[in-house]
Amino acid sequence: MKSKIKLVVFLFTAILAMKIYAGNKPVLDLDFKKYSPVGTKITGGEIIKTQRADALIFDKTRKRNFIHFNGRNETLQIGLSDKAQKVLKESFTLEFDFFSPKLPADKNYREPGIHSIEIFSALGSENRPAMRFYMNQYKRFTLYWFNSKGKRSQILTTWNHKNYEVTSVRRGKWYTVAIVYNHRKKLLEIYLDGEKLGSTKTSGNLQAIKQFRFGGNLKRNRKGLFTGGVDKICLYDQIFHDKETDAIAQKKSWKRLHKQANEDLKSLLLPEDPKWANHHPRMILTPARIKIMKANLKKGKGPELVKKLIARCDEMLDPNSVRYVKEIPKQAWGFPTQTQVIQFPLATILTGDEKYAKRAIKLVMDYTEKKGYYDVFNSLYASGEGMTRQLMVVVWTYDWAYKYFTLEQRQKVRLFLLNIAKGTYTFYNGEVQFNAQRAALSTWGTNWTAMSIAALGNSSLAIMGETKGLTKLWLDYASFRAAQYGLFTIGKEGCFYEMANYFAYGAGPILPFMEALYTAGGDDLFMETNFSKYPNTLPYFMYPYSRKVMSLKFSSSTLTGLHGSNSYVMAILRQRLHNKQVEWCWQHLHENQPWADKWNLFSIIWFKPEEKKVLSPDLPLAQWFKTEGVVAFRSDWTRNAIAGVFMAYPAKMGVHDQSDRGQFTLYGYQGRWIIDNGGRSKLKFSLRNAHNLITVDNKIPYQKARLQTNFHHDAFITDFCTEDSIMTAAIADLTQSYKFTYTWGHEKRCNSGGYEDPFKNANRKLLYMREKTAPPYLLVYDCIQKDDKKHNYTLNLHTAPENEVNISENNVEFKQYPSIAKNEEVNYLCWPGERDEKGYYYYKGSPYDSNPKFGYAEYKINIPKTGKYNLYGFA
């Protein structure tokens, strides 16, 4: 009942808004029914500059005229009446239609390079712009708004909208632009075809505007000149666009695009051949594998798991149960619930009861109505990543429960998978310019690229030979990208550069795809790439004290990862490799509950009975993973081990590394230590977990996080030595890092200028001792020298307040306090500093109290001006 009331209110509001819109006449109205030469009076102003009469063109499709711009500085300028100028000082809506056959990213052989293309500007006194609206290099829009004091507000239209036609401008398509300003709220918005694409708060009042200009630019050069058409220019003293009208426009475009894609792809469907049934199942659970799985599930905890699976499926069928599954979730990242529907066809395979498979089919059919070609065709980062796990449900249900689908349902699923496969392939090889290696190695695309590859591969493989689509081509491409991913993102020693949790998160879905390809008769990409080497690094990144893998967000407790809802990744590794390293990891990550309720039961697909307790993975206690710039070390392989990771290598990542440019990072376990260069955002510990930063002459750097520009060879490990019974030592060269930490703009790849800090050297050295006669301890020290002059070097230390370290000539003592009350004073050792009578170095302070959630404190240790070495240690 409530839903119906909401719907009625919604529709009433929308209809009322449309009626008001229709009943209000524009303050400025320029329609091109006929040619209007210079000097022509129009509603709201006067034409003061325009093209020749032959620029007026009749559009047969729209059945109306428009004014054409050919990219040679043609300009339409409109002088505004006093009334129109007054309206622009209050709330207003400015609308116009335009199309462009040329986008900024298109090649310009006369003027090479990418140039923004200005479509519209509002001019104040002396022809200075008060508003500028143009297409940018991302095939989106930028709007500048200048107040009376010259302060600028900016909108960069969104990339993550559902409608790809408005998030990425189509060549030759007519659009209706609406620039809306709410004077009372000081809010500026952009709508395209009625869909809201961006907004920003403004300050002050808009500059006084005298003219509107379309096309051309003030510099009168040929760079970025508008080519295309403009029509229906209107200015209103009302606001006609809001969240209600936006919702209506989005729903309308969604239906149109979905219908259009299906109509285009229906011609690729083949009449069903009864022989196709002989090809199913072929993904993951072939008939031979089903026999092996059923045999395994009769051993150990297998019978208990099967019983639990059936009980869970019964609950998911029951509308009165809290576990009832109403739909495959639309949410992109809801890991535990996304794949639970896979349990239904699995239950039918194990019991023969078709009710489970038929429920999965119903859910799959409902899901195919909600996604399509347009969802994956023009994603900014990696097409199809947001539905990767839902697609696993669709394709495996289709494959495993093939005989329970009706003919009509099978054709509908094939059409849906054609949408996804063709759309994803078009993303990589169509209009979107995409660099495969960059996608595999850098920025946000790394995890999402892996998910996208799985989506493309699974959807193509599921309908192989059952349509006229180029599914073999699409599958070959997905296989190539999967192999590429396994070679680029995983070093030859097996180290995954985004570390363990992101392996389960991003690379997780690609493993089942590779399994599906292998079982269907394709290449064994898992064994042929570095994926198979990954378990040789995983033991180093596991917390000694808990069933966790060290995530990139230090000490985070998360449901995802190899120990959480993505534990199926470990189940696959364990079944395929069955070596000591995998078994040791499996037993330690899932100790006491290796098949726990909290993670998805579909992982019993890879069930393998438990094995005898493994005490060691047969790996050295320390190793240098050279290709990824990681030194990993432990005191032993027990639960009481002390362990850490020393990282220093070219910054491949945009956001996932603790130090934003990747110069140097040291992670430790149980909150004992995290050390990095502090090179991300402001010097405030609350923005990150902890950092140590050496400043010179009290110079405090400010670095703004720069996504997608963090490709710098700033720091790298130069030396490594280890002896398991004695120590691990490593050295990282941070010279380049120190040169540019303080002046980002110096490097040529940055557009702004700057200067270079002429550091002679900056090295960070790690020494981790394992002598049996002394407790294990870690010593890290920096050796830096800016130049031959004397300088004051200051170490800004952030660490957990429960840590206290005492260093003397013959001993390193570590004490860990369970908790420290707010504002309680505690002695912290910081070296060098003030000595006490016993020769210890202390600095007295109290925990930082403005943000007790983080519980870290900031301390400055002043180093003598004559010194150039800084030393700090943690056991």
Side-chain angles (χ1 to χ4, degrees):
M1 185 66 183
K2 289 183 179 179
S3 298
K4 289 183 178 179
I5 293 173
K6 287 182 179 179
L7 179 61
V8 171
V9 172
F10 174 76
L11 293 175
F12 175 77
T13 303
I15 293 170
L16 181 61
M18 288 187 283
K19 285 185 175 180
I20 294 173
Y21 198 0
N24 279 270
K25 292 183 178 181
V27 177
L28 170 70
D29 188 5
L30 179 55
D31 202 331
F32 298 97
K33 292 179 181 178
K34 63 180 182 179
Y35 179 67
S36 301
V38 173
T40 302
K41 299 289 185 179
I42 61 172
T43 301
E46 177 184 349
I47 303 294
I48 60 175
K49 188 174 182 180
T50 188
Q51 296 96 302
R52 298 177 304 181
D54 59 4
L56 204 64
I57 299 176
F58 182 74
D59 183 354
K60 294 180 180 180
T61 303
R62 301 170 78 242
K63 296 181 180 180
R64 58 182 300 119
N65 291 326
F66 65 89
I67 189 167
H68 185 261
F69 299 79
N70 64 16
R72 296 182 179 177
N73 215 29
E74 298 92 345
T75 301
L76 170 66
Q77 284 186 235
I78 306 167
L80 302 178
S81 66
D82 291 342
K83 184 178 180 180
Q85 292 181 39
K86 185 178 179 181
V87 166
L88 291 168
K89 295 179 180 179
E90 302 295 333
S91 297
F92 64 82
T93 299
L94 171 63
E95 290 188 350
F96 59 87
D97 292 355
F98 90 97
F99 83 90
S100 176
K102 178 184 175 183
L103 302 179
D106 295 341
K107 291 182 179 179
N108 183 340
Y109 296 101
R110 293 182 302 172
E111 298 286 348
I114 296 176
H115 309 287
S116 296
I117 297 177
E118 184 175 295
I119 302 170
F120 161 78
S121 64
L123 305 179
S125 58
E126 300 178 356
N127 280 344
R128 298 180 64 181
M131 279 195 292
R132 295 184 61 207
F133 178 80
Y134 55 86
M135 292 185 289
N136 57 42
Q137 61 180 315
Y138 306 110
K139 297 197 292 186
R140 292 181 275 152
F141 296 107
T142 302
L143 174 66
Y144 287 146
W145 185 97
F146 298 89
N147 69 13
S148 56
K149 295 183 179 180
K151 185 175 181 181
R152 186 180 75 180
S153 299
Q154 174 185 328
I155 297 177
L156 177 65
T157 59
T158 182
W159 57 267
N160 58 356
H161 203 275
K162 294 179 181 178
N163 182 355
Y164 69 82
E165 289 183 324
V166 295
T167 54
S168 180
V169 181
R170 307 285 96 191
R171 295 171 183 82
K173 182 185 182 301
W174 276 99
Y175 288 99
T176 297
V177 176
I179 299 173
V180 180
Y181 183 62
N182 188 316
H183 185 269
R184 182 178 61 84
K185 295 181 178 180
K186 300 294 182 183
L187 181 66
L188 184 67
E189 298 177 308
I190 293 179
Y191 292 80
L192 196 64
D193 286 351
E195 301 188 48
K196 182 179 175 181
L197 292 188
S199 65
T200 186
K201 285 285 188 178
T202 64
S203 61
N205 295 317
L206 182 64
Q207 285 185 20
I209 296 175
K210 305 291 184 182
Q211 298 178 16
F212 284 168
R213 187 189 72 218
F214 291 84
N217 61 43
L218 292 175
K219 295 181 180 179
R220 296 185 178 277
N221 57 32
R222 295 185 296 180
K223 293 184 177 181
L225 294 178
F226 176 56
T227 300
V230 171
D231 190 15
K232 298 174 64 175
I233 303 168
C234 297
L235 174 66
Y236 298 89
D237 59 358
Q238 298 287 329
I239 295 175
F240 301 116
H241 300 270
D242 53 28
K243 62 181 180 180
E244 283 81 14
T245 62
D246 174 43
I248 293 172
Q250 286 193 46
K251 190 172 183 179
K252 185 178 179 181
S253 67
W254 184 91
K255 287 185 177 179
R256 176 178 59 81
L257 292 168
H258 190 69
K259 182 179 179 181
Q260 177 185 320
N262 280 337
E263 288 177 353
D264 292 342
L265 292 171
K266 276 182 180 178
S267 62
L268 298 178
L269 291 177
L270 290 170
E272 178 155 333
D273 186 339
K275 293 180 181 178
W276 291 348
N278 298 330
H279 295 257
H280 298 279
R282 63 183 173 192
M283 302 174 69
I284 307 291
L285 291 181
T286 62
R289 278 203 166 192
I290 289 174
K291 289 182 180 179
I292 295 172
M293 179 184 68
K294 287 182 175 179
N296 281 336
L297 286 171
K298 292 179 180 178
K299 304 172 185 176
K301 294 187 176 182
E304 178 187 342
L305 284 175
V306 173
K307 184 178 179 180
K308 189 184 299 181
L309 173 73
I310 304 307
R312 177 70 57 83
C313 289
D314 288 336
E315 289 177 316
M316 292 192 298
L317 281 172
D318 184 1
N320 297 316
S321 170
V322 294
R323 294 187 185 273
Y324 176 66
V325 177
K326 185 178 180 181
E327 62 180 3
I328 298 174
K330 289 179 280 187
Q331 183 184 356
W333 319 115
F335 300 108
T337 58
Q338 281 180 328
T339 52
Q340 61 184 347
V341 175
I342 294 174
Q343 298 172 50
F344 281 133
L346 182 60
T348 294
I349 288 173
L350 293 174
T351 65
D353 192 336
E354 64 184 55
K355 70 180 180 182
Y356 302 114
K358 287 187 173 181
R359 178 57 182 167
I361 291 170
K362 172 63 169 62
L363 297 173
V364 164
M365 300 317 299
D366 290 343
Y367 183 76
T368 60
E369 295 288 344
K370 300 170 184 176
K371 297 287 183 179
Y373 179 84
Y374 62 91
D375 285 296
V376 295
F377 165 60
N378 206 66
S379 173
L380 180 63
Y381 293 112
S383 175
E385 80 288 342
M387 62 177 72
T388 302
R389 290 172 174 81
Q390 293 95 327
L391 273 174
M392 289 164 63
V393 174
V394 174
V395 299
W396 291 357
T397 299
Y398 175 73
D399 187 43
W400 302 348
Y402 186 90
K403 64 182 179 180
Y404 301 110
F405 283 83
T406 65
L407 173 61
E408 183 182 358
Q409 287 173 330
R410 284 196 289 263
Q411 284 290 67
K412 192 173 181 180
V413 172
R414 292 182 192 117
L415 181 58
F416 168 75
L417 294 176
L418 270 171
N419 272 265
I420 305 306
K422 187 176 187 298
T424 305
Y425 182 79
T426 303
F427 166 79
Y428 284 114
N429 294 280
E431 292 187 14
V432 178
Q433 295 180 357
F434 199 84
N435 184 296
Q437 183 170 355
R438 177 181 172 123
L441 282 175
S442 62
T443 67
W444 302 19
T446 307
N447 286 307
W448 291 0
T449 297
M451 297 181 198
S452 176
I453 293 166
L456 174 60
N458 283 328
S459 56
S460 302
L461 181 59
I463 55 174
M464 179 67 66
E466 298 178 8
T467 72
K468 290 190 289 185
L470 301 177
T471 48
K472 180 62 167 63
L473 174 65
W474 304 336
L475 180 62
D476 285 348
Y477 183 77
S479 302
F480 157 71
R481 290 302 303 273
Q484 184 185 52
Y485 189 88
L487 295 171
F488 282 158
T489 62
I490 305 175
K492 61 184 180 182
E493 310 100 333
C495 191
F496 182 69
Y497 81 78
E498 287 193 301
M499 311 316 311
N501 255 18
Y502 277 98
F503 182 85
Y505 166 74
I510 212 172
L511 293 177
F513 160 60
M514 291 191 296
E515 278 288 273
L517 178 69
Y518 176 53
T519 56
D523 293 330
D524 189 354
L525 299 179
F526 177 79
M527 296 303 296
E528 293 171 1
T529 64
N530 294 334
F531 277 106
S532 61
K533 300 177 182 179
Y534 174 72
N536 292 327
T537 67
L538 182 59
Y540 295 103
F541 301 99
M542 289 173 54
Y543 280 102
Y545 295 85
S546 66
R547 295 181 299 103
K548 292 183 180 180
V549 175
M550 180 168 60
S551 67
L552 292 177
K553 184 179 179 183
F554 180 74
S555 294
S556 67
S557 178
T558 172
L559 292 175
T560 63
L562 293 160
H563 62 285
S565 58
N566 289 335
S567 299
Y568 69 88
V569 174
M570 276 303 299
I572 295 175
L573 295 174
R574 183 169 177 256
Q575 187 189 75
R576 287 301 311 277
L577 295 175
H578 47 80
N579 60 29
K580 206 167 186 180
Q581 288 75 40
V582 175
E583 191 61 35
W584 184 89
C585 293
W586 173 265
Q587 293 178 6
H588 283 71
L589 281 172
H590 306 288
E591 191 172 14
N592 299 325
Q593 46 176 335
W595 299 97
D597 283 341
K598 72 176 183 179
W599 57 281
N600 206 315
L601 281 171
F602 87 82
S603 297
I604 68 173
I605 298 164
W606 295 280
F607 176 77
K608 183 182 175 184
E610 299 308 303
E611 296 186 0
K612 185 180 179 181
K613 187 75 173 179
V614 176
L615 300 178
S616 168
D618 280 352
L619 294 171
L621 290 176
Q623 188 172 345
W624 180 15
F625 303 99
K626 192 171 184 178
T627 52
E628 297 304 327
V630 174
V631 167
F633 53 93
R634 297 173 70 102
S635 57
D636 53 54
W637 294 108
T638 69
R639 291 177 61 84
N640 296 320
I642 296 175
V645 180
F646 179 96
M647 299 173 62
Y649 202 67
K652 297 178 182 179
M653 292 167 270
V655 293
H656 291 152
D657 192 6
Q658 286 277 4
S659 62
D660 196 48
R661 301 176 76 197
Q663 297 97 331
F664 173 84
T665 309
L666 170 68
Y667 298 105
Y669 297 106
Q670 303 304 311
R672 295 191 176 186
W673 8 273
I674 297 183
I675 303 169
D676 60 57
N677 76 314
R680 182 177 181 182
S681 197
K682 293 183 180 180
L683 271 177
K684 290 188 177 180
F685 70 90
S686 59
L687 300 179
R688 54 193 304 139
N689 294 82
H691 73 252
N692 296 266
L693 175 66
I694 294 177
T695 58
V696 182
D697 298 329
N698 296 316
K699 187 175 182 179
I700 300 177
Y702 170 78
Q703 301 89 27
K704 184 179 180 181
R706 295 181 175 219
L707 302 181
Q708 300 190 41
T709 57
N710 303 310
F711 309 104
H712 307 266
H713 290 257
D714 286 332
F716 48 91
I717 295 171
T718 56
D719 293 290
F720 169 76
C721 178
T722 184
E723 170 54 53
D724 278 1
S725 62
I726 302 175
M727 61 91 187
T728 295
I731 300 175
D733 183 350
L734 278 72
T735 307
Q736 290 294 96
S737 178
Y738 271 97
K739 282 183 179 181
F740 299 120
T741 295
Y742 308 103
T743 55
W744 283 71
H746 175 78
E747 291 178 272
K748 291 181 180 179
R749 67 197 70 196
C750 299
N751 294 324
S752 58
Y755 63 93
E756 176 181 349
D757 273 339
F759 276 85
K760 283 195 170 183
N761 65 62
N763 296 305
R764 180 155 289 178
K765 303 181 180 181
L766 173 144
L767 186 66
Y768 182 73
M769 302 302 297
R770 295 191 192 84
E771 289 187 277
K772 294 180 180 180
T773 57
Y777 69 90
L778 171 73
L779 195 61
V780 182
Y781 61 97
D782 284 357
C783 172
I784 66 173
Q785 182 178 0
K786 184 172 181 180
D787 51 38
D788 292 331
K789 299 177 182 178
K790 291 183 178 181
H791 295 279
N792 179 41
Y793 298 90
T794 301
L795 172 65
N796 300 284
L797 173 65
H798 286 178
T799 186
E802 67 269 20
N803 294 341
E804 180 180 311
V805 185
N806 297 336
I807 300 177
S808 65
E809 293 181 0
N810 301 314
N811 182 48
V812 175
E813 179 184 0
F814 173 83
K815 294 181 180 179
Q816 188 169 21
Y817 295 86
S819 63
I820 296 176
K822 183 177 178 181
N823 296 326
E824 178 184 344
E825 289 198 334
V826 182
N827 288 328
Y828 287 81
L829 174 95
C830 299
W831 189 97
E834 296 298 326
R835 297 170 182 253
D836 64 8
E837 63 277 6
K838 295 182 180 179
Y840 286 86
Y841 302 95
Y842 283 95
Y843 180 85
K844 198 167 188 178
S846 61
Y848 192 86
D849 59 5
S850 69
N851 195 336
K853 176 182 177 182
F854 289 89
Y856 294 149
E858 178 175 335
Y859 302 96
K860 288 186 177 181
I861 306 95
N862 291 318
I863 298 169
K865 292 182 178 180
T866 56
K868 62 180 180 181
Y869 297 99
N870 301 303
L871 180 66
Y872 44 94
F874 301 97

